[in-house]
Amino acid sequence: MSTVDRKAEHIRICLESNVQFQSQSSGFDRYHFSHSCLPELDYHQIDLTTKLLGKQLGAPILISSMTGGTLQAQEINYRLAEVAQEYGLAMGVGSQRVAIEQPQVAATFQVRQIAPDILLLANLGAVQLNYRYGIEECERAIELLEADALILHLNPLQECIQPKGDTNFRGLLDRIASVCDRLPVPVIVKEVGNGISAPMAQQLLAAGVSGIDVAGAGGTSWARVESERAQTAIQRRLGETFADWGIPTTECITSIRQIAPEVPLIASGGLRNGLDIAKAIALGADIGGLALPFLQAADSSTAAVRELTQILMAEIQTVLFCTGNASVAALRHSQSLYH
């Protein structure tokens, strides 16, 4: 199966099948906000703006890395980019390996003409650095997107289950360090839904990584996705066995923030609404990333993406108002959340 066909299959499975974590929660359900019955605020003056990697955002929302490489993916990315530009959201794209190896599909990722001002994140699988990729391919991914930063994603579990997965992760940390040292833009490392522990984050930061996207357990299970596309009984069984494997998103946020108080920290993995985003920020994240809700909306229409964005922003604003916090920064440093 070609990479393009795999991309199309991933979209189809995520939209049509239940590939969410079943027995493992992202952890947000265990946290609650202390309600302020008299917030002493004007709701309409609440400030949702924030900054990440030096760029101003209209709200603390990342449209997480999802797709590219097919005509359907192009339409999805264009719809997402239009709304990201309108509301000042950050946006990532799916792995650009297919665009580097098949330049004819590069346009399916290229959204800068639609979203000239947003924080835009390029994306490659870190393991490709062990499979003949180097600084040139990383620079190419950035140039293709006119990106502000590069995401290197880590997906060891998915590669174990995926047909013909790339499973040589030996020596990868040193190669990541080399990329961080030589690239002209910041490097963010993210998981794909199984989480990043504090000790791993510490090693990545020591290697020169500029930001962490925890992508914890509790949202879409890529083990479950790959089980759906399994070509052998072993692959199918592995996907089922490890479908709920990983570190809950909330645990990733709190543990990493303890060892790295200032690192740009993105919370993703099972966030499904603005309340989850607000909880992530109160736990120490800078912004919250969502993938599946935006994918579902973008598969429908630009209007559906716009409506979802308005809902997310209203939910965050309501949390700020009902906890007595006038801004995202105030929420981040408040004691509004309890366990």
Side-chain angles (χ1 to χ4, degrees):
M1 175 179 286
S2 72
T3 306
V4 170
D5 290 338
R6 186 172 78 242
K7 298 288 184 186
E9 202 169 57
H10 280 161
I11 294 173
R12 179 188 62 77
I13 290 169
C14 287
L15 288 172
E16 296 178 3
S17 302
N18 182 8
V19 288
Q20 302 301 290
F21 276 71
Q22 302 297 315
S23 63
Q24 172 83 285
S25 159
S26 58
F28 291 107
D29 55 332
R30 301 175 195 138
Y31 289 88
H32 306 278
F33 281 105
S34 179
H35 175 65
S36 173
C37 66
L38 184 58
E40 290 284 358
L41 295 172
D42 181 344
Y43 179 86
H44 298 289
Q45 292 182 353
I46 287 173
D47 184 9
L48 293 185
T49 65
T50 190
K51 278 190 174 182
L52 188 72
L53 299 176
K55 198 132 186 178
Q56 186 80 5
L57 305 181
I61 300 171
L62 167 67
I63 299 173
S64 285
S65 307
M66 278 179 273
T67 192
T70 70
L71 289 177
Q72 181 188 16
Q74 181 175 33
E75 185 66 26
I76 287 169
N77 280 334
Y78 282 13
R79 289 170 176 172
L80 294 170
E82 183 178 340
V83 176
Q85 174 68 20
E86 185 175 344
Y87 290 94
L89 310 184
M91 178 179 171
V93 297
S95 173
Q96 293 170 259
R97 176 185 173 190
V98 63
I100 289 173
E101 296 176 2
Q102 300 180 52
Q104 68 271 22
V105 304
T108 66
F109 293 91
Q110 291 170 324
V111 299
R112 189 51 100 184
Q113 70 275 19
I114 299 169
D117 303 312
I118 67 169
L119 175 63
L120 186 58
L121 308 176
N123 181 11
L124 285 174
V127 74
Q128 296 310 313
L129 299 174
N130 274 351
Y131 290 86
R132 298 183 301 279
Y133 272 42
I135 194 71
E136 290 182 10
E137 286 78 12
C138 293
E139 289 175 338
R140 182 69 182 137
I142 294 161
E143 290 165 5
L144 278 172
L145 214 62
E146 298 177 56
D148 300 293
L150 173 67
I151 289 173
L152 291 175
H153 69 262
L154 296 168
N155 62 336
L157 178 60
Q158 183 185 10
E159 296 289 358
C160 285
I161 301 165
Q162 185 170 271
K164 298 181 181 177
D166 296 323
T167 52
N168 178 19
F169 277 65
R170 184 182 293 275
L172 199 51
L173 188 63
D174 287 342
R175 288 184 169 85
I176 291 172
S178 177
V179 168
C180 293
D181 184 55
R182 297 172 63 189
L183 267 193
V185 301
V187 173
I188 298 170
V189 167
K190 70 164 287 183
E191 238 283 351
V192 301
N194 303 111
I196 296 178
S197 68
M200 280 306 324
Q202 204 156 30
Q203 291 185 52
L204 290 163
L205 295 172
V209 167
S210 297
I212 300 286
D213 182 343
V214 302
T220 298
S221 167
W222 283 95
R224 205 178 292 275
V225 171
E226 296 300 347
S227 182
E228 292 272 333
R229 1 179 355 256
Q231 297 175 359
T232 69
I234 292 175
Q235 289 167 354
R236 188 170 299 106
R237 179 63 181 265
L238 282 171
E240 293 167 354
T241 300
F242 293 95
D244 289 335
W245 174 276
I247 310 167
T249 301
T250 52
E251 186 178 323
C252 296
I253 298 166
T254 54
S255 62
I256 292 173
R257 191 48 89 200
Q258 285 177 359
I259 60 100
E262 302 299 328
V263 66
L265 188 60
I266 300 167
S268 68
L271 282 73
R272 293 293 175 256
N273 52 52
L275 178 57
D276 288 341
I277 295 172
K279 287 179 179 179
I281 291 167
L283 287 171
D286 291 288
I287 64 173
L290 289 80
L292 184 64
F294 276 112
L295 178 63
Q296 292 168 330
D299 185 58
S300 173
S301 65
T302 303
V305 179
R306 185 176 292 111
E307 182 180 20
L308 172 61
T309 300
Q310 291 170 346
I311 290 169
L312 293 173
M313 293 176 69
E315 288 170 339
I316 298 168
Q317 192 165 347
T318 300
V319 170
L320 292 176
F321 185 64
C322 290
T323 57
N325 290 292
S327 67
V328 172
L331 179 66
R332 164 91 188 275
H333 296 100
S334 73
Q335 301 296 318
S336 305
L337 202 64
Y338 65 92
H339 191 271

